[in-house]
């Protein structure tokens, strides 16, 4: 099952990570407000339904949730320090 599948990976900033699910090059780490772990998201591949959603919402990208993750160096309060240093970009995303 997906919850039993763990993938070890290294981020582009050389952080060791363990993800619940399969990761691919181009996946992103997303830190959601109120979520206890970073999330791995992937730009959703296009199909008619997704294209209709994009059009109705007036957005260019939808994301799929791949799974939760442990990412070395950005757990707990470490993320707050990264925000204080301007190392994070805040954005609104749409998950499907």
């Amino acid at each position: 099952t997906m919850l039993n599948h763990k993938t070890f990976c290294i981020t582009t900033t050389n952080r060791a990570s363990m993800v619940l699910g399969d990761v691919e090059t181009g996946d992103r780490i997303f830190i959601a407000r109120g979520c206890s772990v970073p999330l791995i998201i992937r730009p959703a591949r296009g199909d008619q339904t997704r294209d209709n959603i994009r059009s109705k919402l007036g957005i260019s990208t939808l994301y799929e949730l791949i799974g939760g993750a442990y990412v070395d160096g950005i757990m707990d309060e470490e993320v707050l320090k990264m925000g204080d240093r301007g190392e994070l970009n805040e954005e609104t995303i749409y998950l499907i």
Side-chain angles (χ1 to χ4, degrees), residues 3-5 15 17 24 29-30 52 54 66 78 81 83-84 90 93:
L3 294 177
N4 292 332
H5 185 82
R15 295 181 189 274
S17 306
E24 296 178 0
I29 298 169
F30 185 75
N52 288 340
R54 285 183 188 96
I66 303 307
E78 296 159 0
K81 294 174 188 171
D84 291 343
E90 188 169 337
I93 66 164

Side-chain angles (χ1 to χ4, degrees), residues 30 39-42 62-66 93-96:
F30 185 75
L39 303 175
I40 304 302
I41 59 174
R42 176 179 302 145
L62 294 171
Y63 292 92
E64 295 178 58
L65 176 62
I66 303 307
I93 66 164
Y94 295 87
L95 292 173
I96 58 165

Side-chain angles (χ1 to χ4, degrees), residues 29-94:
I29 298 169
F30 185 75
I31 301 163
R33 291 181 191 270
C35 191
S36 62
V37 297
L39 303 175
I40 304 302
I41 59 174
R42 176 179 302 145
R45 293 173 175 87
D47 66 18
Q48 188 63 41
T49 302
R50 292 174 182 166
D51 290 342
N52 288 340
I53 294 169
R54 285 183 188 96
S55 177
K56 286 180 182 179
L57 294 175
I59 59 173
S60 59
T61 307
L62 294 171
Y63 292 92
E64 295 178 58
L65 176 62
I66 303 307
Y70 167 84
V71 182
D72 189 48
I74 66 169
M75 305 301 291
D76 302 320
E77 288 85 33
E78 296 159 0
V79 123
L80 298 174
K81 294 174 188 171
M82 292 173 72
D84 291 343
R85 293 190 301 258
E87 296 176 16
L88 302 175
N89 297 321
E90 188 169 337
E91 64 183 287
T92 299
I93 66 164
Y94 295 87

